Amino acid sequence: MTVDVAVSASGSGNVLLQAQNGAMAVNAGVSSGSGHISVLSSGAQTYSAAGDVSTGSRVEDSTTLRGRLDLSAGSTLTMDVGTALATDGGNVRLSTTGTSSDVTLGVVDARTTSDRGANTLAQQSAAPGWGSVAIVASGSVLDAAADTATPTNVYANGLRVSAGGSVGVLGASVNAIETEVVTLAASAGSGGINLIDDTALTIGSVSSVSVNRVTNTGSVSAEPATAEAALAGLSTTASSNGSIVARATALTVSNAVGANGSGNVLLQAQS
């Protein structure tokens, strides 16, 4: 499936785009006023700079209902450096299920619309609060931008990242995943973890990040179907020898940080 013109659901309408037997290329905006959006494919997903995906929020009976984003690919999921996935404080979940399939990030933005517009952290952890983000990659989680170009990759309250390969890149081609989050938990394999946060960061525990998967009837179901166990601290998996680098302006370590085997650890509070 190729999306070359905008797809938009008004009001609380949901959106499902599904390539049931192949790849998905999103080259134009996909949006809902305040509904949920699912982009699903059995093959790879690519998002051009114009392929933004966004939803908002609405108030019903004095309760704010926030649209959520659910992107799942059977192979790689690749965003352009200019691609933005944005909610009004709703959760976002990105996942790949193919063998060693990478997630490459542009900008994943779960800020409230008001904080985004004012470029402030006022509601990051205070009501109404930013959404949380989960990234699950069978391969690595990578930054679409070069390390010398540092747009923030993820804006969220809580961020949990699980990768079969690396989270960011260490070594000669060093390239960190840039975040603006309150609490971070990550697990990676070979290649280790390289993350840098824009402000203060707690390495802690992040519970299951729920989104709403849009079905072929236009209604929604829970995703993941069974809540995942909380992910805590920073770790590299058995036999990976993966190193861990985490930097922020201020750093609080509330859960264990463990590098497998000969992996090194750098925790740095830097100005």
Side-chain angles (χ1 to χ4, degrees), residues 7 9 21 40 58 62 71 75 96 112 116 129 132 141 174 180 182 185 192 238 244 247 270:
V7 175
N21 192 28
L40 313 176
R58 66 189 185 277
S62 302
L71 280 60
S75 182
T96 60
T112 57
R116 186 181 301 119
S132 291
V141 178
V174 62
E180 175 50 71
V182 176
I244 296 172
R247 295 170 288 163
Q270 58 184 24

Side-chain angles (χ1 to χ4, degrees), residues 6-7 29 35 61 73 81 83 90 137 142 169 195 233 242 252:
V7 175
D61 299 325
V81 65
T83 308
L142 306 171
V169 178
L195 290 150
T252 300

Side-chain angles (χ1 to χ4, degrees), residues 35-58:
H36 306 296
I37 299 175
S38 292
V39 183
L40 313 176
S41 63
S42 63
Q45 292 184 16
T46 57
Y47 295 81
S48 73
D52 297 337
V53 182
S54 63
T55 186
S57 66
R58 66 189 185 277

Side-chain angles (χ1 to χ4, degrees), residues 163-165 188-193 235-244 258-263:
S190 178
I193 295 171
S235 63
T236 53
T237 55
S239 303
S240 69
N241 294 312
S243 294
I244 296 172
N260 170 261
S262 60

